[in-house]
PDB file of all heavy atoms in Angstrom:
ATOM      1  N   HIS A1329      93.803 125.972  85.323  1.00 95.00           N
ATOM      2  CA  HIS A1329      95.084 125.382  84.770  1.00 95.00           C
ATOM      3  C   HIS A1329      96.279 125.518  85.736  1.00 95.00           C
ATOM      4  O   HIS A1329      97.024 126.413  85.591  1.00 95.00           O
ATOM      5  CB  HIS A1329      95.338 125.928  83.343  1.00 95.00           C
ATOM      6  CG  HIS A1329      94.222 125.734  82.382  1.00 95.00           C
ATOM      7  ND1 HIS A1329      93.916 124.597  81.785  1.00 95.00           N
ATOM      8  CD2 HIS A1329      93.207 126.662  81.932  1.00 95.00           C
ATOM      9  CE1 HIS A1329      92.922 124.658  80.953  1.00 95.00           C
ATOM     10  NE2 HIS A1329      92.473 125.864  81.079  1.00 95.00           N
ATOM     11  N   TRP A1330      96.350 124.598  86.553  1.00 95.00           N
ATOM     12  CA  TRP A1330      97.360 124.603  87.654  1.00 95.00           C
ATOM     13  C   TRP A1330      98.756 124.591  87.133  1.00 95.00           C
ATOM     14  O   TRP A1330      99.683 124.922  87.743  1.00 95.00           O
ATOM     15  CB  TRP A1330      97.193 123.362  88.558  1.00 95.00           C
ATOM     16  CG  TRP A1330      95.996 123.550  89.533  1.00 95.00           C
ATOM     17  CD1 TRP A1330      94.767 123.657  89.363  1.00 95.00           C
ATOM     18  CD2 TRP A1330      96.141 123.686  90.950  1.00 95.00           C
ATOM     19  NE1 TRP A1330      94.023 123.851  90.537  1.00 95.00           N
ATOM     20  CE2 TRP A1330      94.974 123.698  91.538  1.00 95.00           C
ATOM     21  CE3 TRP A1330      97.277 123.530  91.870  1.00 95.00           C
ATOM     22  CZ2 TRP A1330      94.721 123.863  92.905  1.00 95.00           C
ATOM     23  CZ3 TRP A1330      97.082 123.583  93.271  1.00 95.00           C
ATOM     24  CH2 TRP A1330      95.749 123.787  93.785  1.00 95.00           C
ATOM     25  N   HIS A1331      98.986 124.061  85.913  1.00 95.00           N
ATOM     26  CA  HIS A1331     100.333 123.888  85.362  1.00 95.00           C
ATOM     27  C   HIS A1331     100.637 125.007  84.306  1.00 95.00           C
ATOM     28  O   HIS A1331     101.658 124.978  83.669  1.00 95.00           O
ATOM     29  CB  HIS A1331     100.587 122.531  84.749  1.00 95.00           C
ATOM     30  CG  HIS A1331     100.296 121.364  85.810  1.00 95.00           C
ATOM     31  ND1 HIS A1331     101.172 121.232  86.845  1.00 95.00           N
ATOM     32  CD2 HIS A1331      99.298 120.498  86.051  1.00 95.00           C
ATOM     33  CE1 HIS A1331     100.789 120.277  87.555  1.00 95.00           C
ATOM     34  NE2 HIS A1331      99.659 119.831  87.094  1.00 95.00           N
ATOM     35  N   SER A1332      99.675 126.079  84.288  1.00 95.00           N
ATOM     36  CA  SER A1332      99.965 127.154  83.543  1.00 95.00           C
ATOM     37  C   SER A1332     101.141 127.999  84.158  1.00 95.00           C
ATOM     38  O   SER A1332     101.202 128.153  85.401  1.00 95.00           O
ATOM     39  CB  SER A1332      98.805 128.013  83.342  1.00 95.00           C
ATOM     40  OG  SER A1332      99.121 129.358  82.829  1.00 95.00           O
ATOM     41  N   PRO A1333     102.024 128.529  83.359  1.00 95.00           N
ATOM     42  CA  PRO A1333     103.117 129.395  83.992  1.00 95.00           C
ATOM     43  C   PRO A1333     102.451 130.722  84.524  1.00 95.00           C
ATOM     44  O   PRO A1333     103.178 131.524  85.234  1.00 95.00           O
ATOM     45  CB  PRO A1333     103.938 129.741  82.759  1.00 95.00           C
ATOM     46  CG  PRO A1333     103.826 128.635  81.853  1.00 95.00           C
ATOM     47  CD  PRO A1333     102.363 128.263  81.988  1.00 95.00           C
ATOM     48  N   GLN A1334     101.200 130.960  84.243  1.00 95.00           N
ATOM     49  CA  GLN A1334     100.488 132.124  84.843  1.00 95.00           C
ATOM     50  C   GLN A1334      99.784 131.714  86.183  1.00 95.00           C
ATOM     51  O   GLN A1334      99.035 132.589  86.710  1.00 95.00           O
ATOM     52  CB  GLN A1334      99.476 132.733  83.858  1.00 95.00           C
ATOM     53  CG  GLN A1334     100.162 133.618  82.855  1.00 95.00           C
ATOM     54  CD  GLN A1334     100.816 132.879  81.660  1.00 95.00           C
ATOM     55  OE1 GLN A1334     100.174 132.132  80.975  1.00 95.00           O
ATOM     56  NE2 GLN A1334     102.120 132.984  81.495  1.00 95.00           N
ATOM     57  N   PHE A1335      99.807 130.463  86.531  1.00 94.00           N
ATOM     58  CA  PHE A1335      99.193 130.016  87.835  1.00 94.00           C
ATOM     59  C   PHE A1335     100.213 130.254  88.993  1.00 94.00           C
ATOM     60  O   PHE A1335     101.270 129.648  88.943  1.00 94.00           O
ATOM     61  CB  PHE A1335      98.838 128.535  87.695  1.00 94.00           C
ATOM     62  CG  PHE A1335      98.144 128.025  88.958  1.00 94.00           C
ATOM     63  CD1 PHE A1335      96.688 128.029  88.994  1.00 94.00           C
ATOM     64  CD2 PHE A1335      98.811 127.515  90.016  1.00 94.00           C
ATOM     65  CE1 PHE A1335      96.107 127.533  90.129  1.00 94.00           C
ATOM     66  CE2 PHE A1335      98.213 127.039  91.107  1.00 94.00           C
ATOM     67  CZ  PHE A1335      96.756 127.046  91.243  1.00 94.00           C
ATOM     68  N   HIS A1336      99.876 131.107  89.830  1.00 95.00           N
ATOM     69  CA  HIS A1336     100.864 131.473  91.038  1.00 95.00           C
ATOM     70  C   HIS A1336     100.084 131.395  92.399  1.00 95.00           C
ATOM     71  O   HIS A1336     100.367 132.096  93.277  1.00 95.00           O
ATOM     72  CB  HIS A1336     101.339 132.862  90.822  1.00 95.00           C
ATOM     73  CG  HIS A1336     102.080 133.077  89.594  1.00 95.00           C
ATOM     74  ND1 HIS A1336     103.305 132.484  89.402  1.00 95.00           N
ATOM     75  CD2 HIS A1336     101.816 133.854  88.468  1.00 95.00           C
ATOM     76  CE1 HIS A1336     103.833 132.810  88.146  1.00 95.00           C
ATOM     77  NE2 HIS A1336     102.957 133.650  87.612  1.00 95.00           N
ATOM     78  N   ALA A1337      99.055 130.493  92.471  1.00 93.00           N
ATOM     79  CA  ALA A1337      98.273 130.365  93.663  1.00 93.00           C
ATOM     80  C   ALA A1337      98.691 129.174  94.470  1.00 93.00           C
ATOM     81  O   ALA A1337      99.350 128.306  93.986  1.00 93.00           O
ATOM     82  CB  ALA A1337      96.839 130.259  93.283  1.00 93.00           C
ATOM     83  N   TYR A1338      98.330 129.221  95.763  1.00 90.00           N
ATOM     84  CA  TYR A1338      98.545 128.092  96.670  1.00 90.00           C
ATOM     85  C   TYR A1338     100.051 127.707  96.708  1.00 90.00           C
ATOM     86  O   TYR A1338     100.940 128.610  96.906  1.00 90.00           O
ATOM     87  CB  TYR A1338      97.833 126.898  96.303  1.00 90.00           C
ATOM     88  CG  TYR A1338      96.358 127.224  96.027  1.00 90.00           C
ATOM     89  CD1 TYR A1338      95.777 127.137  94.681  1.00 90.00           C
ATOM     90  CD2 TYR A1338      95.439 127.656  97.026  1.00 90.00           C
ATOM     91  CE1 TYR A1338      94.601 127.456  94.424  1.00 90.00           C
ATOM     92  CE2 TYR A1338      94.116 127.947  96.817  1.00 90.00           C
ATOM     93  CZ  TYR A1338      93.707 127.881  95.421  1.00 90.00           C
ATOM     94  OH  TYR A1338      92.353 128.221  95.238  1.00 90.00           O
ATOM     95  N   PHE A1339     100.460 126.488  96.442  1.00 92.00           N
ATOM     96  CA  PHE A1339     101.862 126.119  96.285  1.00 92.00           C
ATOM     97  C   PHE A1339     101.860 125.211  95.034  1.00 92.00           C
ATOM     98  O   PHE A1339     100.771 124.931  94.430  1.00 92.00           O
ATOM     99  CB  PHE A1339     102.282 125.266  97.445  1.00 92.00           C
ATOM    100  CG  PHE A1339     102.773 126.164  98.661  1.00 92.00           C
ATOM    101  CD1 PHE A1339     102.432 125.842  99.966  1.00 92.00           C
ATOM    102  CD2 PHE A1339     103.669 127.170  98.418  1.00 92.00           C
ATOM    103  CE1 PHE A1339     102.902 126.572 100.918  1.00 92.00           C
ATOM    104  CE2 PHE A1339     104.174 127.928  99.463  1.00 92.00           C
ATOM    105  CZ  PHE A1339     103.756 127.630 100.722  1.00 92.00           C
ATOM    106  N   PRO A1340     102.907 124.823  94.464  1.00 91.00           N
ATOM    107  CA  PRO A1340     103.013 124.048  93.315  1.00 91.00           C
ATOM    108  C   PRO A1340     102.395 122.642  93.384  1.00 91.00           C
ATOM    109  O   PRO A1340     102.294 122.180  94.586  1.00 91.00           O
ATOM    110  CB  PRO A1340     104.503 123.875  92.918  1.00 91.00           C
ATOM    111  CG  PRO A1340     105.214 124.944  93.792  1.00 91.00           C
ATOM    112  CD  PRO A1340     104.293 125.168  94.935  1.00 91.00           C
ATOM    113  N   THR A1341     101.903 122.094  92.309  1.00 91.00           N
ATOM    114  CA  THR A1341     101.505 120.766  92.298  1.00 91.00           C
ATOM    115  C   THR A1341     102.299 120.044  91.217  1.00 91.00           C
ATOM    116  O   THR A1341     102.363 120.573  90.018  1.00 91.00           O
ATOM    117  CB  THR A1341      99.979 120.528  92.118  1.00 91.00           C
ATOM    118  OG1 THR A1341      99.553 119.229  92.100  1.00 91.00           O
ATOM    119  CG2 THR A1341      99.556 121.114  90.791  1.00 91.00           C
ATOM    120  N   GLY A1342     102.856 118.926  91.620  1.00 91.00           N
ATOM    121  CA  GLY A1342     103.902 118.307  90.650  1.00 91.00           C
ATOM    122  C   GLY A1342     103.254 117.865  89.361  1.00 91.00           C
ATOM    123  O   GLY A1342     102.117 117.437  89.338  1.00 91.00           O
ATOM    124  N   ASN A1343     104.118 117.841  88.329  1.00 93.00           N
ATOM    125  CA  ASN A1343     103.695 117.267  87.039  1.00 93.00           C
ATOM    126  C   ASN A1343     104.936 117.091  86.145  1.00 93.00           C
ATOM    127  O   ASN A1343     105.821 117.888  86.058  1.00 93.00           O
ATOM    128  CB  ASN A1343     102.816 118.357  86.333  1.00 93.00           C
ATOM    129  CG  ASN A1343     102.387 117.948  84.967  1.00 93.00           C
ATOM    130  OD1 ASN A1343     103.158 118.159  84.002  1.00 93.00           O
ATOM    131  ND2 ASN A1343     101.167 117.283  84.834  1.00 93.00           N
ATOM    132  N   SER A1344     105.054 115.905  85.581  1.00 95.00           N
ATOM    133  CA  SER A1344     106.164 115.587  84.727  1.00 95.00           C
ATOM    134  C   SER A1344     105.663 114.417  83.832  1.00 95.00           C
ATOM    135  O   SER A1344     104.907 113.507  84.240  1.00 95.00           O
ATOM    136  CB  SER A1344     107.412 115.369  85.317  1.00 95.00           C
ATOM    137  OG  SER A1344     107.405 114.153  86.174  1.00 95.00           O
ATOM    138  N   TYR A1345     106.250 114.241  82.654  1.00 94.00           N
ATOM    139  CA  TYR A1345     105.911 113.090  81.820  1.00 94.00           C
ATOM    140  C   TYR A1345     106.373 111.822  82.442  1.00 94.00           C
ATOM    141  O   TYR A1345     105.616 110.822  82.300  1.00 94.00           O
ATOM    142  CB  TYR A1345     106.540 113.314  80.390  1.00 94.00           C
ATOM    143  CG  TYR A1345     105.920 114.342  79.571  1.00 94.00           C
ATOM    144  CD1 TYR A1345     106.600 115.420  79.089  1.00 94.00           C
ATOM    145  CD2 TYR A1345     104.466 114.353  79.463  1.00 94.00           C
ATOM    146  CE1 TYR A1345     105.948 116.491  78.356  1.00 94.00           C
ATOM    147  CE2 TYR A1345     103.874 115.373  78.674  1.00 94.00           C
ATOM    148  CZ  TYR A1345     104.679 116.477  78.219  1.00 94.00           C
ATOM    149  OH  TYR A1345     103.921 117.435  77.531  1.00 94.00           O
ATOM    150  N   PRO A1346     107.580 111.634  83.008  1.00 95.00           N
ATOM    151  CA  PRO A1346     107.918 110.447  83.722  1.00 95.00           C
ATOM    152  C   PRO A1346     106.874 109.972  84.744  1.00 95.00           C
ATOM    153  O   PRO A1346     106.545 108.791  84.890  1.00 95.00           O
ATOM    154  CB  PRO A1346     109.300 110.696  84.323  1.00 95.00           C
ATOM    155  CG  PRO A1346     109.929 111.709  83.521  1.00 95.00           C
ATOM    156  CD  PRO A1346     108.763 112.521  83.149  1.00 95.00           C
ATOM    157  N   SER A1347     106.313 110.979  85.568  1.00 96.00           N
ATOM    158  CA  SER A1347     105.382 110.627  86.607  1.00 96.00           C
ATOM    159  C   SER A1347     104.078 110.177  85.904  1.00 96.00           C
ATOM    160  O   SER A1347     103.376 109.304  86.405  1.00 96.00           O
ATOM    161  CB  SER A1347     105.198 111.845  87.469  1.00 96.00           C
ATOM    162  OG  SER A1347     104.340 111.509  88.534  1.00 96.00           O
ATOM    163  N   ILE A1348     103.672 110.771  84.794  1.00 95.00           N
ATOM    164  CA  ILE A1348     102.492 110.408  84.168  1.00 95.00           C
ATOM    165  C   ILE A1348     102.601 108.948  83.592  1.00 95.00           C
ATOM    166  O   ILE A1348     101.652 108.122  83.764  1.00 95.00           O
ATOM    167  CB  ILE A1348     102.118 111.382  83.041  1.00 95.00           C
ATOM    168  CG1 ILE A1348     101.771 112.814  83.543  1.00 95.00           C
ATOM    169  CG2 ILE A1348     100.939 110.848  82.086  1.00 95.00           C
ATOM    170  CD1 ILE A1348     101.670 113.864  82.508  1.00 95.00           C
ATOM    171  N   LEU A1349     103.755 108.703  83.018  1.00 95.00           N
ATOM    172  CA  LEU A1349     104.034 107.360  82.555  1.00 95.00           C
ATOM    173  C   LEU A1349     103.988 106.312  83.674  1.00 95.00           C
ATOM    174  O   LEU A1349     103.409 105.191  83.499  1.00 95.00           O
ATOM    175  CB  LEU A1349     105.395 107.243  81.911  1.00 95.00           C
ATOM    176  CG  LEU A1349     105.478 107.996  80.520  1.00 95.00           C
ATOM    177  CD1 LEU A1349     106.925 108.064  80.104  1.00 95.00           C
ATOM    178  CD2 LEU A1349     104.622 107.226  79.400  1.00 95.00           C
ATOM    179  N   ALA A1350     104.449 106.598  84.843  1.00 95.00           N
ATOM    180  CA  ALA A1350     104.489 105.743  85.985  1.00 95.00           C
ATOM    181  C   ALA A1350     103.056 105.481  86.499  1.00 95.00           C
ATOM    182  O   ALA A1350     102.757 104.286  86.784  1.00 95.00           O
ATOM    183  CB  ALA A1350     105.355 106.244  87.094  1.00 95.00           C
ATOM    184  N   ASP A1351     102.205 106.491  86.412  1.00 94.00           N
ATOM    185  CA  ASP A1351     100.815 106.279  86.819  1.00 94.00           C
ATOM    186  C   ASP A1351     100.137 105.387  85.845  1.00 94.00           C
ATOM    187  O   ASP A1351      99.280 104.617  86.232  1.00 94.00           O
ATOM    188  CB  ASP A1351     100.094 107.663  86.896  1.00 94.00           C
ATOM    189  CG  ASP A1351     100.074 108.162  88.407  1.00 94.00           C
ATOM    190  OD1 ASP A1351     100.275 107.335  89.315  1.00 94.00           O
ATOM    191  OD2 ASP A1351      99.727 109.362  88.584  1.00 94.00           O
ATOM    192  N   MET A1352     100.487 105.496  84.581  1.00 94.00           N
ATOM    193  CA  MET A1352      99.859 104.534  83.552  1.00 94.00           C
ATOM    194  C   MET A1352     100.178 103.194  83.966  1.00 94.00           C
ATOM    195  O   MET A1352      99.313 102.297  83.906  1.00 94.00           O
ATOM    196  CB  MET A1352     100.392 104.934  82.091  1.00 94.00           C
ATOM    197  CG  MET A1352      99.796 106.227  81.610  1.00 94.00           C
ATOM    198  SD  MET A1352     100.521 106.592  79.929  1.00 94.00           S
ATOM    199  CE  MET A1352     100.048 105.281  78.988  1.00 94.00           C
ATOM    200  N   LEU A1353     101.523 102.835  84.218  1.00 94.00           N
ATOM    201  CA  LEU A1353     101.860 101.501  84.561  1.00 94.00           C
ATOM    202  C   LEU A1353     101.200 101.038  85.862  1.00 94.00           C
ATOM    203  O   LEU A1353     100.759  99.933  85.959  1.00 94.00           O
ATOM    204  CB  LEU A1353     103.400 101.449  84.737  1.00 94.00           C
ATOM    205  CG  LEU A1353     104.015 100.048  85.120  1.00 94.00           C
ATOM    206  CD1 LEU A1353     103.536  98.948  84.070  1.00 94.00           C
ATOM    207  CD2 LEU A1353     105.397 100.148  85.184  1.00 94.00           C
ATOM    208  N   SER A1354     101.172 101.959  86.789  1.00 93.00           N
ATOM    209  CA  SER A1354     100.451 101.610  88.099  1.00 93.00           C
ATOM    210  C   SER A1354      99.053 101.256  87.884  1.00 93.00           C
ATOM    211  O   SER A1354      98.479 100.293  88.431  1.00 93.00           O
ATOM    212  CB  SER A1354     100.520 102.797  89.021  1.00 93.00           C
ATOM    213  OG  SER A1354      99.783 102.525  90.231  1.00 93.00           O
ATOM    214  N   ASP A1355      98.321 102.003  86.985  1.00 92.00           N
ATOM    215  CA  ASP A1355      96.886 101.728  86.695  1.00 92.00           C
ATOM    216  C   ASP A1355      96.758 100.420  85.957  1.00 92.00           C
ATOM    217  O   ASP A1355      95.792  99.656  86.184  1.00 92.00           O
ATOM    218  CB  ASP A1355      96.340 102.830  85.906  1.00 92.00           C
ATOM    219  CG  ASP A1355      96.182 104.124  86.731  1.00 92.00           C
ATOM    220  OD1 ASP A1355      96.133 104.011  87.921  1.00 92.00           O
ATOM    221  OD2 ASP A1355      96.023 105.160  86.077  1.00 92.00           O
ATOM    222  N   ALA A1356      97.794 100.070  85.104  1.00 92.00           N
ATOM    223  CA  ALA A1356      97.669  98.764  84.306  1.00 92.00           C
ATOM    224  C   ALA A1356      97.896  97.596  85.255  1.00 92.00           C
ATOM    225  O   ALA A1356      97.146  96.615  85.165  1.00 92.00           O
ATOM    226  CB  ALA A1356      98.695  98.796  83.235  1.00 92.00           C
ATOM    227  N   ILE A1357      98.843  97.706  86.162  1.00 90.00           N
ATOM    228  CA  ILE A1357      99.173  96.608  87.069  1.00 90.00           C
ATOM    229  C   ILE A1357      97.967  96.476  88.054  1.00 90.00           C
ATOM    230  O   ILE A1357      97.513  95.370  88.303  1.00 90.00           O
ATOM    231  CB  ILE A1357     100.416  96.864  87.813  1.00 90.00           C
ATOM    232  CG1 ILE A1357     101.625  96.809  86.882  1.00 90.00           C
ATOM    233  CG2 ILE A1357     100.619  95.865  89.026  1.00 90.00           C
ATOM    234  CD1 ILE A1357     103.034  97.170  87.475  1.00 90.00           C
ATOM    235  N   GLY A1358      97.486  97.576  88.528  1.00 89.00           N
ATOM    236  CA  GLY A1358      96.198  97.631  89.216  1.00 89.00           C
ATOM    237  C   GLY A1358      96.328  96.782  90.578  1.00 89.00           C
ATOM    238  O   GLY A1358      95.225  96.328  91.084  1.00 89.00           O
ATOM    239  N   CYS A1359      97.411  96.650  91.142  1.00 85.00           N
ATOM    240  CA  CYS A1359      97.507  95.970  92.520  1.00 85.00           C
ATOM    241  C   CYS A1359      96.944  96.796  93.643  1.00 85.00           C
ATOM    242  O   CYS A1359      96.997  98.033  93.532  1.00 85.00           O
ATOM    243  CB  CYS A1359      98.892  95.487  92.760  1.00 85.00           C
ATOM    244  SG  CYS A1359     100.062  96.801  93.056  1.00 85.00           S
ATOM    245  N   ILE A1360      96.536  96.160  94.720  1.00 86.00           N
ATOM    246  CA  ILE A1360      96.122  96.863  95.944  1.00 86.00           C
ATOM    247  C   ILE A1360      97.092  96.369  96.916  1.00 86.00           C
ATOM    248  O   ILE A1360      96.911  95.432  97.647  1.00 86.00           O
ATOM    249  CB  ILE A1360      94.690  96.492  96.330  1.00 86.00           C
ATOM    250  CG1 ILE A1360      93.825  96.675  95.191  1.00 86.00           C
ATOM    251  CG2 ILE A1360      94.230  97.348  97.518  1.00 86.00           C
ATOM    252  CD1 ILE A1360      93.608  98.122  94.619  1.00 86.00           C
ATOM    253  N   GLY A1361      98.239  97.140  97.195  1.00 83.00           N
ATOM    254  CA  GLY A1361      99.343  96.647  97.996  1.00 83.00           C
ATOM    255  C   GLY A1361      99.195  96.781  99.445  1.00 83.00           C
ATOM    256  O   GLY A1361     100.146  97.374 100.125  1.00 83.00           O
ATOM    257  N   PHE A1362      98.210  96.209 100.043  1.00 80.00           N
ATOM    258  CA  PHE A1362      98.106  96.366 101.486  1.00 80.00           C
ATOM    259  C   PHE A1362      99.020  95.432 102.323  1.00 80.00           C
ATOM    260  O   PHE A1362      99.296  95.734 103.399  1.00 80.00           O
ATOM    261  CB  PHE A1362      96.661  96.147 101.952  1.00 80.00           C
ATOM    262  CG  PHE A1362      95.902  95.086 101.297  1.00 80.00           C
ATOM    263  CD1 PHE A1362      96.221  93.717 101.587  1.00 80.00           C
ATOM    264  CD2 PHE A1362      94.935  95.341 100.338  1.00 80.00           C
ATOM    265  CE1 PHE A1362      95.617  92.647 100.947  1.00 80.00           C
ATOM    266  CE2 PHE A1362      94.220  94.255  99.807  1.00 80.00           C
ATOM    267  CZ  PHE A1362      94.486  92.861  99.992  1.00 80.00           C
ATOM    268  N   THR A1363      99.434  94.354 101.627  1.00 82.00           N
ATOM    269  CA  THR A1363     100.459  93.509 102.272  1.00 82.00           C
ATOM    270  C   THR A1363     101.559  93.272 101.371  1.00 82.00           C
ATOM    271  O   THR A1363     101.403  93.393 100.099  1.00 82.00           O
ATOM    272  CB  THR A1363      99.809  92.178 102.780  1.00 82.00           C
ATOM    273  OG1 THR A1363      99.418  91.399 101.636  1.00 82.00           O
ATOM    274  CG2 THR A1363      98.671  92.322 103.581  1.00 82.00           C
ATOM    275  N   TRP A1364     102.625  92.704 101.902  1.00 76.00           N
ATOM    276  CA  TRP A1364     103.765  92.261 100.988  1.00 76.00           C
ATOM    277  C   TRP A1364     103.307  91.238  99.896  1.00 76.00           C
ATOM    278  O   TRP A1364     103.627  91.425  98.743  1.00 76.00           O
ATOM    279  CB  TRP A1364     104.889  91.697 101.868  1.00 76.00           C
ATOM    280  CG  TRP A1364     106.101  91.217 101.060  1.00 76.00           C
ATOM    281  CD1 TRP A1364     107.148  91.974 100.627  1.00 76.00           C
ATOM    282  CD2 TRP A1364     106.293  89.885 100.642  1.00 76.00           C
ATOM    283  NE1 TRP A1364     107.958  91.221  99.859  1.00 76.00           N
ATOM    284  CE2 TRP A1364     107.542  89.902  99.914  1.00 76.00           C
ATOM    285  CE3 TRP A1364     105.578  88.712 100.684  1.00 76.00           C
ATOM    286  CZ2 TRP A1364     108.046  88.722  99.267  1.00 76.00           C
ATOM    287  CZ3 TRP A1364     106.122  87.500 100.118  1.00 76.00           C
ATOM    288  CH2 TRP A1364     107.384  87.657  99.372  1.00 76.00           C
ATOM    289  N   ILE A1365     102.571  90.226 100.368  1.00 82.00           N
ATOM    290  CA  ILE A1365     102.263  89.165  99.466  1.00 82.00           C
ATOM    291  C   ILE A1365     101.174  89.600  98.492  1.00 82.00           C
ATOM    292  O   ILE A1365     101.153  89.017  97.303  1.00 82.00           O
ATOM    293  CB  ILE A1365     101.720  87.945 100.265  1.00 82.00           C
ATOM    294  CG1 ILE A1365     101.648  86.643  99.346  1.00 82.00           C
ATOM    295  CG2 ILE A1365     100.278  88.212 100.746  1.00 82.00           C
ATOM    296  CD1 ILE A1365     103.055  86.265  98.842  1.00 82.00           C
ATOM    297  N   ALA A1366     100.511  90.735  98.775  1.00 85.00           N
ATOM    298  CA  ALA A1366      99.508  91.196  97.694  1.00 85.00           C
ATOM    299  C   ALA A1366     100.248  91.765  96.498  1.00 85.00           C
ATOM    300  O   ALA A1366      99.570  91.747  95.409  1.00 85.00           O
ATOM    301  CB  ALA A1366      98.621  92.321  98.364  1.00 85.00           C
ATOM    302  N   SER A1367     101.495  92.102  96.524  1.00 86.00           N
ATOM    303  CA  SER A1367     102.293  92.424  95.401  1.00 86.00           C
ATOM    304  C   SER A1367     103.655  92.753  95.980  1.00 86.00           C
ATOM    305  O   SER A1367     103.917  93.969  96.335  1.00 86.00           O
ATOM    306  CB  SER A1367     101.659  93.536  94.661  1.00 86.00           C
ATOM    307  OG  SER A1367     102.312  93.697  93.351  1.00 86.00           O
ATOM    308  N   PRO A1368     104.587  91.887  96.110  1.00 88.00           N
ATOM    309  CA  PRO A1368     105.895  92.024  96.731  1.00 88.00           C
ATOM    310  C   PRO A1368     106.511  93.299  96.156  1.00 88.00           C
ATOM    311  O   PRO A1368     107.163  94.111  96.796  1.00 88.00           O
ATOM    312  CB  PRO A1368     106.577  90.827  96.407  1.00 88.00           C
ATOM    313  CG  PRO A1368     105.536  89.754  96.398  1.00 88.00           C
ATOM    314  CD  PRO A1368     104.381  90.387  95.780  1.00 88.00           C
ATOM    315  N   ALA A1369     106.597  93.463  94.726  1.00 90.00           N
ATOM    316  CA  ALA A1369     107.289  94.557  94.145  1.00 90.00           C
ATOM    317  C   ALA A1369     106.756  95.888  94.676  1.00 90.00           C
ATOM    318  O   ALA A1369     107.489  96.835  94.909  1.00 90.00           O
ATOM    319  CB  ALA A1369     107.161  94.512  92.650  1.00 90.00           C
ATOM    320  N   CYS A1370     105.415  96.002  94.866  1.00 86.00           N
ATOM    321  CA  CYS A1370     104.807  97.215  95.350  1.00 86.00           C
ATOM    322  C   CYS A1370     105.385  97.652  96.638  1.00 86.00           C
ATOM    323  O   CYS A1370     105.774  98.812  96.897  1.00 86.00           O
ATOM    324  CB  CYS A1370     103.308  97.046  95.386  1.00 86.00           C
ATOM    325  SG  CYS A1370     102.320  98.516  95.967  1.00 86.00           S
ATOM    326  N   THR A1371     105.432  96.669  97.579  1.00 90.00           N
ATOM    327  CA  THR A1371     106.033  97.002  98.961  1.00 90.00           C
ATOM    328  C   THR A1371     107.552  97.199  98.923  1.00 90.00           C
ATOM    329  O   THR A1371     108.066  98.236  99.377  1.00 90.00           O
ATOM    330  CB  THR A1371     105.677  95.839  99.927  1.00 90.00           C
ATOM    331  OG1 THR A1371     104.344  95.769 100.076  1.00 90.00           O
ATOM    332  CG2 THR A1371     106.467  96.075 101.212  1.00 90.00           C
ATOM    333  N   GLU A1372     108.351  96.442  98.164  1.00 91.00           N
ATOM    334  CA  GLU A1372     109.764  96.457  98.210  1.00 91.00           C
ATOM    335  C   GLU A1372     110.268  97.642  97.465  1.00 91.00           C
ATOM    336  O   GLU A1372     111.287  98.291  97.986  1.00 91.00           O
ATOM    337  CB  GLU A1372     110.349  95.179  97.763  1.00 91.00           C
ATOM    338  CG  GLU A1372     109.905  93.958  98.611  1.00 91.00           C
ATOM    339  CD  GLU A1372     110.946  92.761  98.580  1.00 91.00           C
ATOM    340  OE1 GLU A1372     112.065  93.001  97.912  1.00 91.00           O
ATOM    341  OE2 GLU A1372     110.550  91.720  99.125  1.00 91.00           O
ATOM    342  N   LEU A1373     109.671  97.974  96.329  1.00 94.00           N
ATOM    343  CA  LEU A1373     110.163  99.276  95.733  1.00 94.00           C
ATOM    344  C   LEU A1373     109.900 100.463  96.596  1.00 94.00           C
ATOM    345  O   LEU A1373     110.685 101.393  96.570  1.00 94.00           O
ATOM    346  CB  LEU A1373     109.391  99.356  94.353  1.00 94.00           C
ATOM    347  CG  LEU A1373     109.964 100.518  93.528  1.00 94.00           C
ATOM    348  CD1 LEU A1373     111.395 100.367  93.150  1.00 94.00           C
ATOM    349  CD2 LEU A1373     109.020 100.762  92.299  1.00 94.00           C
TER     350      LEU A1373
END
């Protein structure tokens, strides 16, 4: 349990609800942004 307050190993690994929500949206959009035209918002953001 990396996000337990009793976990003190290695270095932190990030976790927050806003980030989880963003990953949900990223998974739903599902673009593969290798070029600008593949999804302009992906590159420009």
